[in-house]
Every structure is written in structure tokens, then in C-alpha cells.
Amino acid sequence: MMRNIAFALLIGGLVGIVGHVRKKGKIVKPRKTKKFIYLGFLEEVLMGALSAVLLVISSDVDSLYKVVYISILAGIGGDAVLEELNVFRTDQKTAIPEDRKKDA
């Protein structure tokens, strides 16, 4: 079981890095601003690895191929969760809906 968890961590983290590079075009390093800490690529790595481990543990797989397959799917799913969270982070008051942009 520990071998499955280790592979899930590794594969989920790698899928997280690939998703980050696909989205941003480069690897963005973590940085600290006055108000908060921006995790950069570590955010996607942690989300992909965590989702892969949780899915592998909950599905109780016995084959290494199933672990790899489930970890890749979970890493992609972790990327989708982060994209949904970015929707909530944007300021809704300043965003202009598409139908109002035509009138302006």
C-alpha cells in the first residue's frame, strides 16, 4: 500500500507540473507579497499529489497500472478544481458580462 501511495504522490505531482506549464507557459516560482504568499507551481503540485493519493487510497487498487491510471486522472482533476477556485477569486463587481460589453 505504501508503494501505491508513493507512486500516486509522484505521478499526481508530475501531472500538476505539466498542467501548470500548460496553463502558464513556464514554471512560476513561489513568492511572498505584502498581503499573502503565492505558491506558484507548488499549488498545482500539491493539489495533484493530494487528489491522486486520496483517490488511490479510497479506490483500494491492487495493480501498479491502475495506480498510474488513477493518479493521472486525479492530477487532471486537481487542476480542474484549481481552475474553478480561480473563478471565485476574481472580483465579480468589476467583471462586465458579455452581453453588456456589446452595449458599451
Side-chain angles (χ1 to χ4, degrees), residues 4-104:
N4 292 347
I5 293 172
F7 278 121
L9 274 171
L10 179 69
I11 294 169
L14 289 175
V15 171
I17 288 177
V18 169
H20 177 79
V21 171
R22 183 180 52 87
K23 238 186 331 187
K24 305 286 184 181
K26 61 180 180 178
I27 294 180
V28 178
K29 294 190 298 185
R31 67 179 186 272
K32 183 178 177 182
T33 62
K34 290 182 180 181
K35 295 189 179 194
F36 68 96
I37 298 172
Y38 178 68
L39 293 177
F41 76 95
L42 291 178
E43 185 175 18
E44 277 93 4
V45 169
L46 291 174
M47 186 62 75
L50 182 65
S51 61
V53 167
L54 290 176
L55 195 59
V56 165
I57 289 174
S58 66
S59 64
D60 195 34
V61 295
D62 55 354
S63 170
L64 188 60
Y65 296 115
K66 290 180 183 177
V67 170
V68 170
Y69 181 69
I70 288 175
S71 297
I72 289 173
L73 289 178
I76 293 170
D79 187 43
V81 168
L82 285 177
E83 286 180 12
E84 288 297 320
L85 289 176
N86 282 336
V87 169
F88 295 118
R89 287 183 188 167
T90 60
D91 188 11
Q92 298 296 328
K93 293 179 183 177
T94 60
I96 299 173
E98 292 296 323
D99 57 345
R100 291 189 183 174
K101 285 183 181 178
K102 295 175 185 175
D103 296 333

